């Protein structure tokens, strides 16, 4: 496992390795198995369901001391299951660690893990924008800063492992978990998530990659459905972000996907969990089961005859730790090993990995102190500042006829309508504590300061006359308030219509885990509300606060401006208000295409020629707005684009371009470089992102941006199953979006076919040289 913080001196490392082997040699089978499971306490089986089939899969209710009498591998969501005061819960966790040291024969502390996709999912912790907002920012360095802030807060509580980031590539907008994903482009997913991993682990917290692999490619966009993908699509598109996070960022843990690919559930597939992950990539961390995934081999997939068989298959395939508790890896696996159906050497293999990780965290050191030092401030000014900046940079201006920015709006009548205008929960995704846990505790406060967009607009535009009508709910179909909202808009100088999602889990929302949709029309009566306001003729700004991309071609065509925000977090309302006023210049870009309709799904801009429109079908899958699109309140010009003319196949291609802020205010441009393989032995995408740079420029300022694109990004799985770079012509272009080509050059790849070894660089090197001002 890669070192997290301050790698130990060699003698300390040797002592830790010796301690691991000493412990392993002296453990009983029961003690070994206890280290391979988690314990989950204070779970409400019926009302607090936050995992698939939690109500039926949790197992026997035992107290901590009874469950952990032989030890325990993980403590599951100590802070993230109920609203508990962080300081009090920190002391309780430390007490349990001390109990493990003093009252179990071997005295091995547990790894405490928590969800941390939009910040630590705990009461009173800073809640950051959802992952599509990370993608919209095109700013991995800021995402790394966020990861570091999240990790610092977790370590201050005594938490060791975070179940994030999600590296699933968006393939179908109907899938409810789109809101947990970064982008429809694997290169962007890879670069952004690797940054998150580096940030989290730099704070001493193990990052867990989710969901390995293929989960997002489910049929019909249904959660936990079979994956519709061939081996080449898995290898060339879906695996790449995980490879980068493992081999380049050094992720310490991986979580399996619930899904099955070609009839084999990933939880029982040694090809991926061992062959690809460990044998090919050299991963030496731990593989943890997604919650109840091992038992699902029996109950959902029907490839195991009972819990013991499920445990045997998962352990053999490469799952080291069963989470959230020990449904199969305790009694059923013990029985299977004792009966000779499972080799105890497989238990030892997993156990060695777990103990090595505990040693790396310092849990096996004689002087381990479970009481973290300092105060547990989970919502400090530094964290909120990172959340603010990421929220601001992730807002995407889709269209604008000049109505934005609003300025100070002095004396203007502004109507703010829509179901998400004055709704705090609309700022957050399903893995935020606000929407993940608090709905089951209606009397609890949110625990963080998070104004609504209406409140933020009143603060940002104090001289405007702001009035409001809800109009309709997110998905209740209530049309009774639409007429009043339209009247208010008609009496105003400008209308701001705030539409979108309500995030939740397992059907309790319009977006989120288990909240898949049949249609990409806006939920409920929201489209009718938008139509009614637009019909008044009042200049209308539509703000979409969503977890996925909805099909809103009419709104895009008719509204004076459209703004997209992806669950922008607790600082998101202020960020949106500042973008609308003009205090912040929008710089976000679409991390996922904005669809024209539901019929085009599944869709990705990474389609071959046959995947586009043509005379052979009456359906055009082209989106209304493409991947990478986004407007600004300033303008940017490009010049002096150069690229290598000839390069041996398998070597780096270099290109450069000068970008200039040609407007009258400071802004950020996202420079995008795409490659197009014109003729290949297998069909290839019409274009694929191979590099990008977020460039901040003052008015009139220029910067030269240089890209060194490695051969790995031009490679693909050939007809014989090998990863290769073929000679021939490649188009290399700089673009404002995938469809807005600024300029293209032809690069000739020469020589023989290059067979990739896996050791080549995987990421483009970018150098930005801005002129002095």
């Amino acid at each position: 496992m890669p070192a997290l913080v301050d790698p130990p001196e060699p003698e300390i490392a040797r002592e830790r390795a010796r301690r691991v082997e000493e412990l392993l040699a002296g453990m009983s089978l029961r003690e070994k198995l206890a280290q391979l499971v988690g314990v989950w306490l204070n779970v409400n089986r019926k009302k607090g369901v936050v995992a698939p089939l939690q109500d039926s899969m949790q197992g026997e209710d035992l107290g901590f001391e009874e469950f952990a009498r032989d030890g325990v591998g993980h403590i599951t969501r100590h802070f993230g299951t109920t609203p508990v005061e962080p300081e009090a819960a920190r002391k309780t966790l430390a007490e349990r660690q001390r109990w493990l040291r003093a009252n179990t024969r071997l005295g091995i502390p547990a790894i405490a893990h928590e969800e941390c996709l939009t910040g630590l999912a705990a009461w009173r912790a800073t809640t950051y924008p959802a992952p599509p907002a990370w993608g919209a920012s095109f700013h991995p360095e800021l995402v790394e800063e966020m990861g570091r802030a999240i990790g610092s807060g977790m370590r201050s509580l005594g938490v060791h492992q975070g179940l994030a980031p999600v590296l699933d590539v968006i393939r179908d907008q109907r899938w409810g978990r789109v809101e947990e994903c970064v982008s429809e482009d694997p290169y962007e997913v890879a670069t952004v998530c690797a940054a998150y991993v580096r940030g989290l682990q730099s704070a001493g917290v193990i990052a867990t990659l989710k969901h390995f692999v293929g989960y997002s490619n489910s049929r019909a966009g249904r959660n936990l459905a079979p994956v519709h993908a061939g081996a080449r699509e898995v290898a060339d598109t879906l695996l790449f972000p995980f490879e980068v996070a493992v081999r380049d960022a050094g992720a310490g843990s991986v979580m399996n996907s619930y899904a099955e690919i070609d009839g084999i559930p990933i939880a029982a597939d040694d090809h991926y969990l061992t062959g690809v992950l460990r044998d090919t990539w050299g991963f030496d961390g731990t593989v943890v089961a997604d919650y109840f995934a091992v038992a699902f081999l029996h109950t959902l997939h029907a490839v195991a005859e009972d819990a013991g068989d499920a445990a045997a298959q998962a352990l053999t395939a490469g799952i080291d730790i069963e989470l959230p508790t020990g449904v199969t890896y305790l009694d059923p696996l013990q029985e299977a090993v004792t009966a000779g159906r499972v080799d105890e050497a497989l238990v030892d293999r997993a156990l060695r990995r777990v103990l090595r990780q505990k040693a790396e965290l310092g849990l096996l050191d004689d002087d381990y102190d479970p009481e973290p030092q300092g105060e547990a401030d989970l919502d400090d000014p530094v964290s909120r500042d990172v959340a603010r900046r990421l929220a601001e940079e992730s807002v995407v201006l889709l269209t604008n006829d000049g109505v934005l920015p609003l300025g100070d709006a002095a004396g203007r009548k502004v109507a703010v309508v829509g179901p998400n205008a004055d709704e705090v929960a609309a700022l957050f995704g399903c893995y935020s504590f606000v929407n993940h846990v608090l709905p089951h505790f209606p009397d609890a406060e949110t625990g963080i300061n998070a104004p609504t967009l209406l409140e933020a607009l009143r603060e940002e535009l104090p001289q405007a006359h702001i009035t409001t009508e809800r109009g309709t709910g997110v998905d209740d179909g209530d049309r009774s308030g639409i007429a009043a909202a339209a009247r208010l808009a008609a009496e105003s100088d400008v209308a701001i219509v705030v539409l979108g999602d309500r995030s939740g889990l397992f059907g309790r929302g319009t977006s989120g885990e288990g909240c898949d949709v049949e249609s990409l029309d806006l939920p409920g009566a929201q489209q009718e509300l938008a139509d009614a306001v637009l019909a008044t003729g009042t200049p209308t700004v539509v703000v979409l606060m969503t977890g996925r991309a909805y099909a809103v071609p009419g709104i895009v065509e008719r509204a004076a401006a459209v703004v997209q925000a992806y669950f922008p977090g607790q600082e998101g309302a202020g960020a949106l208000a500042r973008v609308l006023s003009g205090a912040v210049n929008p710089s976000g870009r679409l991390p996922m295409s904005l669809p024209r309709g539901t019929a085009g799904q599944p869709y990705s801009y990474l389609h071959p020629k046959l995947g586009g429109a043509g005379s052979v079908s009456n359906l055009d899958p082209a989106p209304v707005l493409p991947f990478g699109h986004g407007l600004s309140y300033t303008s940017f010009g490009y010049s002096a684009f150069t690229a290598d003319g000839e390069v041996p196949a398998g070597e780096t291609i270099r290109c450069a371009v000068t970008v200039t802020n040609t407007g009258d205010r400071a802004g950020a441009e996202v420079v995008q470089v795409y490659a197009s393989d014109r003729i290949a032995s297998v069909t290839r995408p019409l274009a694929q992102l191979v590099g990008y740079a977020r460039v901040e420029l003052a008015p009139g300022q220029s910067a030269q941006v240089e890209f060194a694109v490695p051969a790995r990004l031009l490679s693909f799985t050939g007809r014989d199953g090998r990863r290769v770079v073929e000679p021939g012509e490649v188009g290399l272009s700089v673009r404002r979006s995938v469809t807005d080509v600024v300029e293209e050059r032809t690069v000739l790849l020469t020589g023989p076919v290059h067979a990739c070894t896996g050791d080549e660089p995987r990421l483009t090197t970018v150098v930005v040289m801005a002129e002095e001002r």
Side-chain angles (χ1 to χ4, degrees):
M1 176 187 147
L4 295 173
V5 173
D6 298 330
E9 297 295 331
E11 59 271 20
I12 296 176
R14 286 192 294 270
E15 173 59 25
R16 287 175 173 175
R18 185 200 63 77
R19 175 68 170 145
V20 166
E21 295 304 319
E22 178 185 68
L23 283 170
L24 195 151
M27 296 171 77
S28 69
L29 176 60
R30 188 67 179 189
E31 288 171 329
K32 291 177 180 180
L33 296 177
Q35 292 296 318
L36 305 185
V37 303
V39 57
W40 197 8
L41 304 174
N42 302 320
V43 183
N44 186 318
R45 289 172 178 263
K46 300 298 182 183
K47 294 183 179 180
V49 175
V50 295
L53 304 178
Q54 173 187 314
D55 53 341
S56 61
M57 296 299 301
Q58 175 63 15
E60 187 179 0
D61 282 324
L62 297 174
F64 177 77
E65 295 180 7
E66 184 178 1
F67 186 97
R69 61 183 181 273
D70 297 305
V72 68
H74 275 237
I75 293 175
T76 295
R77 298 191 64 175
H78 177 78
F79 297 90
T81 301
T82 60
V84 291
E85 289 290 350
E87 189 63 43
R90 180 169 76 159
K91 292 184 182 300
T92 303
L93 178 60
E95 290 169 3
R96 285 177 176 161
Q97 298 284 32
R98 280 192 285 267
W99 186 92
L100 287 170
R101 296 197 75 186
N103 296 283
T104 61
R105 188 177 73 87
L106 299 169
I108 302 174
I111 290 175
H113 76 256
E114 296 287 345
E115 298 286 358
C116 59
L117 187 61
T118 62
L120 173 61
W123 202 36
R124 302 195 186 282
T126 302
T127 306
Y128 298 84
W134 313 355
S137 76
F138 279 83
H139 197 170
E141 296 81 5
L142 183 53
V143 172
E144 182 172 348
E145 195 175 340
M146 175 187 71
R148 188 177 303 111
I150 294 170
S152 296
M154 295 171 77
R155 284 296 285 181
S156 75
L157 297 175
V159 176
H160 310 99
Q161 184 163 347
L163 304 188
V166 171
L167 293 91
D168 296 309
V169 180
I170 298 170
R171 307 298 277 175
D172 192 326
Q173 298 286 353
R174 296 172 294 179
W175 192 46
R177 302 193 81 167
V178 164
E179 66 163 73
E180 299 176 49
C181 304
V182 168
S183 173
E184 73 181 66
D185 179 82
Y187 182 79
E188 192 189 8
V189 176
T191 51
V192 169
C193 288
Y196 180 95
V197 169
R198 287 192 298 269
L200 195 73
Q201 295 197 161
S202 72
V205 174
I206 299 166
T208 306
L209 311 181
K210 300 162 62 173
H211 306 85
F212 187 76
V213 61
Y215 192 27
S216 58
N217 222 64
S218 59
R219 288 178 180 161
R222 292 179 57 249
N223 193 45
L224 225 165
V227 168
H228 186 74
R232 180 172 288 103
E233 183 178 357
V234 175
D236 291 359
T237 302
L238 304 180
L239 280 173
F240 179 70
F242 291 94
E243 181 181 9
V244 170
V246 167
R247 302 183 78 169
D248 294 87
S253 186
V254 171
M255 175 180 281
N256 73 283
S257 161
Y258 283 130
E260 63 178 71
I261 299 178
D262 198 23
I264 303 178
I266 295 297
D269 196 334
D270 64 345
H271 167 69
Y272 291 112
L273 295 180
T274 297
V276 172
L277 185 59
R278 296 192 185 276
D279 296 343
T280 301
W281 297 348
F283 176 72
D284 64 354
T286 55
V287 176
V288 301
D290 204 346
Y291 286 12
F292 309 117
V294 179
F296 288 166
L297 293 174
H298 169 56
T299 60
L300 292 186
H301 295 292
V303 296
E305 62 183 4
D306 54 28
D309 185 21
Q313 291 190 39
L315 186 68
T316 302
I319 290 183
D320 303 311
I321 303 167
E322 182 185 19
L323 296 181
T325 185
V327 176
T328 70
Y329 270 25
L330 286 178
D331 294 342
L333 184 54
Q334 180 173 357
E335 181 183 346
V337 173
T338 303
R341 296 192 300 273
V342 175
D343 189 344
E344 190 170 346
L346 291 172
V347 175
D348 291 347
R349 181 183 71 174
L351 177 60
R352 184 172 282 107
R353 294 166 182 163
V354 173
L355 292 178
R356 280 205 313 257
Q357 202 155 67
K358 289 191 174 186
E360 180 76 19
L361 291 163
L363 299 181
L364 305 185
D365 295 350
D366 290 337
D367 60 353
Y368 165 68
D369 183 0
E371 193 80 50
Q373 301 301 309
E375 296 182 3
D377 186 354
L378 302 183
D379 193 28
D380 62 284
V382 172
S383 298
R384 291 196 301 273
D385 179 67
V386 174
R388 174 192 60 78
R389 286 184 282 136
L390 184 55
E392 289 176 349
E393 293 185 9
S394 67
V395 175
V396 187
L397 180 60
L398 300 183
T399 65
N400 184 24
D401 69 359
V403 67
L404 295 179
L406 296 174
D408 63 11
R412 299 176 73 185
K413 293 183 290 184
V414 180
V416 180
V417 305
N420 281 344
D422 198 25
E423 179 56 61
V424 171
L427 300 169
F428 305 115
C430 76
Y431 269 77
S432 67
F433 195 81
V434 169
N435 286 333
H436 203 79
V437 176
L438 287 187
H440 310 298
F441 299 89
D443 294 332
E445 300 175 350
T446 61
I448 53 177
N449 180 27
T452 67
L453 181 54
L454 176 64
E455 292 168 339
L457 283 168
R458 283 179 167 153
E459 181 176 349
E460 181 68 18
L461 306 174
Q463 300 185 71
H465 179 61
I466 295 177
T467 53
T468 186
E469 285 282 353
R470 186 164 180 261
T472 185
V474 169
D475 63 338
D476 57 15
D478 181 10
R479 294 163 173 79
S480 61
I482 292 178
R487 283 194 300 271
L488 185 66
E491 297 166 357
S492 303
D493 300 312
V494 63
I496 300 174
V497 184
V498 191
L499 310 174
D501 278 316
R502 185 187 74 257
S503 189
L505 292 97
F506 308 114
R508 300 193 294 268
T510 62
S511 173
E513 184 175 0
C515 297
D516 314 310
V517 296
E518 295 178 348
S519 168
L520 292 180
D521 295 339
L522 284 167
Q526 292 186 77
Q527 183 66 54
E528 295 177 44
L529 172 62
D531 289 341
V533 173
L534 289 167
T536 65
T538 297
T540 299
V541 178
V542 175
V543 176
L544 300 169
M545 209 179 301
T546 68
R548 58 165 61 85
Y550 281 100
V552 289
I555 289 175
V556 170
E557 293 166 5
R558 297 170 58 200
V562 183
V563 174
Q564 171 72 60
Y566 303 100
F567 295 141
Q570 75 182 71
E571 297 290 331
L576 273 166
R578 289 187 290 277
V579 167
L580 295 175
S581 74
V584 168
N585 192 351
S587 58
R589 301 292 184 268
L590 285 178
M592 61 188 90
S593 307
L594 195 73
R596 188 170 301 278
T598 308
Q601 299 298 308
Y603 177 83
S604 167
Y605 90 84
L606 290 162
H607 61 76
K609 188 173 183 179
L610 200 62
S615 61
V616 295
S617 173
N618 62 310
L619 296 179
D620 183 355
V624 172
L625 293 172
F627 172 85
H629 169 81
L631 304 179
S632 171
Y633 295 149
T634 189
S635 57
F636 298 92
Y638 289 79
S639 61
F641 178 53
T642 61
D644 290 339
E646 289 190 14
V647 176
E651 296 196 7
T652 297
I653 300 175
R654 288 173 169 78
C655 66
V657 69
T658 297
V659 59
T660 302
N661 183 340
T662 56
D664 59 2
R665 61 179 295 170
E669 174 73 327
V670 177
V671 181
Q672 304 166 47
V673 174
Y674 293 80
S676 304
D677 198 340
R678 290 174 178 162
I679 299 293
S681 59
V682 301
T683 60
R684 301 289 296 135
L686 294 175
Q688 65 180 100
L689 185 72
V690 294
Y692 62 88
R694 181 186 171 87
V695 184
E696 303 269 358
L697 295 171
Q701 187 180 20
S702 297
Q704 184 181 48
V705 189
E706 299 177 349
F707 299 87
V709 181
R712 173 63 175 78
L713 295 180
L714 304 176
S715 68
F716 55 86
T717 303
R719 294 191 184 191
D720 60 0
R722 295 186 306 152
R723 178 165 296 282
V724 296
V725 180
E726 292 182 343
E729 290 186 351
V730 171
L732 201 67
S733 57
V734 61
R735 309 185 183 200
R736 292 186 175 89
S737 74
V738 68
T739 61
D740 188 353
V741 181
V742 176
E743 200 164 355
E744 185 173 58
R745 294 282 185 269
T746 297
V747 180
L748 181 63
L749 302 183
T750 62
V753 172
H754 172 76
C756 295
T757 66
D759 295 326
E760 298 91 351
R762 281 165 287 276
L763 301 177
T764 294
T765 301
V766 181
V767 177
V768 178
M769 294 174 290
E771 66 179 24
E772 296 294 331
R773 300 295 295 169

